[in-house]
Amino acid sequence: MDPGPECVGQKAAKGLHVLFRAKADLPGGAKVTYDAAHADGRDRTAELVSGSVRQTVRAAQKVTLAGHVYTVAEVCTYRVVLTGSGLRAPTGTGGKMSDWPMTNKGVLPLLWHVPVNARDHSGVEKSIVVTDIADVPLRCDISTVMGTDGGGHFRDVPVGGTIEFAGRLWQVASIDAGNMDVAIDSPDFAPGRVRLRELGGA
């Protein structure tokens, strides 16, 4: 399990959100990926990859990506926020948030391996799915697809942990591991469940 802290740096920074294990567009057509996360209980670093260059970065550091200099404003388990000229903030930040997915009083229930899908008017796919649930301690893996806005692959997220998708932050409110150590066609099989609570704009 990640020893935390969950985030370090400027929470309110407006800039490019690079989600964990996802690609984000840089000015000029280059891309950057948040490829690995590290923490020691007091500080947090991230490994960013752009082209063939891999760099370990921390909050408040200047970083050169595809020939341009940016500031690493925030490093979290689920994202890195870069600030600088020409960077695009995520859809939904500081404006109208995506109307997908629909929640029940701010809660989104997810069933193991059953995606919540949608397509917008342009045919762009949006999806979220729980890909794995483990116990001792309880934790889950969640993958998202957000069309041209990218997606993320969030690993070992515990109850209380945060992820980002659809321009919003979400907290894992509960995890039910079910009974998935038996054959899927067994009457004793029960799929795992995860409940996400919407926290607001990312």
Side-chain angles (χ1 to χ4, degrees):
M1 291 291 290
D2 190 302
E6 186 175 61
C7 291
V8 292
Q10 295 178 290
K11 277 192 172 182
K14 303 298 183 187
L16 179 68
H17 290 200
V18 187
L19 302 185
F20 188 71
R21 288 292 171 86
K23 288 185 171 74
D25 294 324
L26 295 169
K31 295 186 180 294
V32 59
T33 302
Y34 176 9
D35 193 60
H38 305 286
D40 60 10
R42 294 171 299 164
D43 199 7
R44 173 167 294 285
T45 59
E47 290 184 34
L48 299 182
V49 177
S50 184
S52 61
V53 179
R54 175 182 294 269
Q55 302 177 66
T56 299
V57 300
R58 62 182 67 247
Q61 178 181 330
K62 299 287 187 186
V63 60
T64 300
L65 299 167
H68 298 275
V69 178
Y70 306 107
T71 299
V72 180
E74 185 182 38
V75 179
C76 298
T77 55
Y78 54 93
R79 75 179 181 203
V80 170
V81 179
L82 300 174
T83 58
S85 177
L87 293 177
R88 181 176 61 92
T91 302
T93 300
K96 183 181 183 301
M97 289 186 289
S98 167
D99 58 4
W100 176 89
M102 298 294 291
T103 66
N104 182 4
K105 297 181 179 178
V107 173
L108 176 64
L110 299 171
L111 190 63
W112 175 75
H113 273 229
V114 178
V116 176
N117 294 323
R119 287 185 183 273
D120 66 18
H121 63 279
S122 302
V124 174
E125 180 185 2
K126 298 181 283 190
S127 177
I128 178 169
V129 62
V130 175
T131 57
D132 195 21
I133 294 177
D135 55 12
V136 194
L138 275 173
R139 59 201 188 277
C140 62
D141 292 356
I142 298 173
S143 290
T144 64
V145 174
M146 291 300 296
T148 56
D149 283 339
H153 305 281
F154 309 102
R155 299 184 307 180
D156 290 329
V157 187
V159 173
T162 306
I163 67 170
E164 178 181 336
F165 72 97
R168 286 171 272 180
L169 295 179
W170 305 77
Q171 183 180 65
V172 175
S174 65
I175 301 173
D176 178 355
N179 185 21
M180 300 190 295
D181 290 333
V182 297
I184 232 173
D185 58 355
S186 165
D188 296 324
F189 177 83
R193 299 172 184 271
V194 173
R195 292 170 65 250
L196 298 180
R197 179 175 293 111
E198 184 181 341
L199 299 178

